[in-house]
Amino acid sequence: MTRVADHPVDDLFLKRWSPRAFDGAPMPEADLKTILEAARWAPSAFNTQPWRFVYALRGDAEFERLYALLDDFNGSWAVGASALVFVISDSLVDGVSEDGPVPAIFHAFDAGGAWAQAALQATLLGYHTHAMAGLRRDQAHEVLGLPERLKVHVAFAIGRRGDAEQLTPELQQQERPSGRRPLSEIAFHGRFELPLEAAA
């Protein structure tokens, strides 16, 4: 499908989508660092910058170890990714209380903003990204070497688009940019309004 915005936006936002077929080509580490650099400049509450990333590039010693943390479904298609990145955030803030670290209420929200900037930068470089919530979370902290205060949110695959025929027939049918709800269903002037079907 061709994406069409209802209101004027930069084409970058329409070009970014989440395919599953990647070509498996090596990715220069410099490109990945540019993508993560874009994430570094995301806004955050009180400028705490709670996001953290653990990554691996196809062909390096860490790729298979991180790949093994994907669940079976995501592993079935992400095998073609050129890089894997785990999005993590610090659930505590230091230095604001004499009693020690305090909860970082907005850490997940801020990490989501950083991921979005990474995805858009990848699009500018001609890559695609696909975020995955299906992870072996019970193993992630140990495998990634994380202290308890850090929380794993998602992993995302990065790569150039590959041939959709490498996917299952069901996934081949989904291998296209998706649409979005109209703005009238998600943005409300002054007061939230339930969708008509929910109000019935």
Side-chain angles (χ1 to χ4, degrees):
M1 67 175 294
T2 300
R3 286 175 155 181
V4 178
D6 293 338
H7 301 274
V9 297
D10 192 277
D11 284 347
L12 173 64
F13 299 99
L14 304 180
K15 290 178 180 177
R16 189 225 59 81
W17 65 285
S18 303
R20 291 189 174 94
F22 293 102
D23 69 3
M27 178 182 188
E29 187 168 5
D31 286 357
L32 179 58
K33 291 292 182 67
T34 293
I35 290 167
L36 296 179
E37 179 71 12
R40 185 169 81 94
W41 290 97
S44 63
F46 306 106
N47 196 30
T48 55
Q49 304 165 48
W51 45 79
R52 305 289 185 271
F53 304 101
V54 176
Y55 67 86
L57 291 156
R58 170 175 294 283
D60 70 28
E62 305 298 330
F63 188 87
E64 290 301 322
R65 196 165 60 86
L66 270 59
Y67 172 77
L69 290 174
L70 306 180
D71 67 12
D72 290 344
F73 171 71
N74 287 320
S76 71
W77 58 262
V79 66
S82 298
L84 293 173
V85 181
F86 281 73
V87 180
I88 300 152
S89 64
D90 193 344
S91 65
L92 300 176
V93 179
D94 297 306
V96 296
S97 171
E98 294 180 356
D99 297 328
V102 299
I105 299 172
F106 305 108
H107 69 98
F109 177 83
D110 291 341
W115 136 250
Q117 293 198 180
L120 292 170
Q121 180 62 61
T123 302
L124 285 171
L125 294 178
Y127 294 98
H128 285 279
T129 57
H130 192 124
M132 301 166 279
L135 308 173
R136 304 189 195 283
R137 295 178 184 277
D138 55 337
Q139 303 172 27
H141 267 75
E142 179 179 355
V143 172
L144 300 177
L146 305 178
E148 186 61 31
R149 62 187 277 172
L150 296 186
K151 305 302 178 185
V152 178
H153 297 292
V154 298
F156 64 95
I158 309 174
R160 308 276 188 195
R161 284 198 66 196
D163 190 341
E165 290 186 2
Q166 67 188 274
L167 303 173
T168 65
E170 181 181 0
L171 291 181
Q172 287 181 38
Q173 295 178 7
Q174 301 175 33
E175 192 70 353
R176 60 185 184 278
S178 57
R180 290 295 184 269
R181 295 175 184 269
L183 196 60
S184 60
E185 290 186 10
I186 63 169
F188 308 96
H189 185 186
R191 182 181 176 86
F192 177 75
E193 299 176 18
L194 287 173
L196 292 176
E197 62 268 25

